[in-house]
Amino acid sequence: MWRNGSKLTFSLKAPVLPTLVFYGTVFSGRGEGKKFLSLPWVSRQIKEKTGFKPYLGTLNLRLTGEAAKLKKQLQKAHPIPIDPGEGYCPGFVIKAKIGVSTVAIVIPEVPNYPEDVLEVVAPFCLREKEKLVDGSAVAVEVTV
């Protein structure tokens, strides 16, 4: 609060939160994301933890070299655990954005999962909405 002559004025600045940006290219997976998201306990937990029911499929991104190194920083981005059903591995979801669209990154905790792959879920088909094809460049933003 500052005094400006006889008037009181206020200045409010929103805090600037650090953002990680992951650059990658779209590639086709093996359909495992669709199978995983079809499991009722997965779909239910993602909806509870992100606020949206996921479309049955993930957008697979092959990260650039620097973005792949940055992936380790996702632990600072408030990962939300997905508790596994019997016989499944645990994982995490992290809220993110592609453009103005709210999405979530899914990180399965499976042995030998590629460090340069990012799987993204959304309440709609990202390929259709964003007009993406294999090889399309995509930026995913995560606030930490």
Side-chain angles (χ1 to χ4, degrees):
M1 181 167 41
W2 293 272
R3 249 189 220 286
N4 182 4
S6 62
K7 295 182 181 179
L8 229 36
T9 59
F10 294 89
S11 176
L12 298 175
K13 289 189 177 183
V16 178
L17 300 173
T19 301
L20 300 174
V21 180
F22 294 89
Y23 296 98
T25 55
V26 175
F27 73 96
S28 292
R30 299 180 300 206
E32 291 178 16
K34 181 177 183 174
K35 290 177 196 172
F36 185 68
L37 291 167
S38 295
L39 297 169
W41 60 270
V42 173
S43 182
R44 177 182 43 77
Q45 286 189 60
I46 289 176
K47 183 176 181 180
E48 288 171 358
K49 297 172 183 197
T50 65
F52 64 80
K53 180 180 178 186
Y55 170 81
L56 294 181
T58 60
L59 181 69
N60 300 304
L61 298 177
R62 177 103 38 226
L63 299 174
T64 63
E66 289 303 311
K69 292 176 190 173
L70 192 62
K71 189 174 172 184
K72 292 179 176 114
Q73 297 294 318
L74 282 173
Q75 291 303 321
K76 296 178 183 175
H78 313 289
I80 306 165
I82 298 293
D83 299 318
E86 189 174 328
Y88 289 91
C89 294
F92 294 90
V93 291
I94 298 167
K95 294 178 184 179
K97 292 238 181 235
I98 292 179
V100 297
S101 298
T102 298
V103 300
I105 297 168
V106 176
I107 305 202
E109 289 194 317
V110 296
N112 302 318
Y113 189 81
E115 290 185 22
D116 66 340
V117 171
L118 203 63
E119 293 191 54
V120 181
V121 295
F124 44 78
C125 178
L126 280 162
R127 280 182 178 257
E128 290 175 9
K129 183 169 192 260
E130 301 293 332
K131 298 178 178 44
L132 301 172
V133 296
D134 284 358
S136 294
V138 173
V140 181
E141 296 182 8
V142 179
T143 301
V144 291

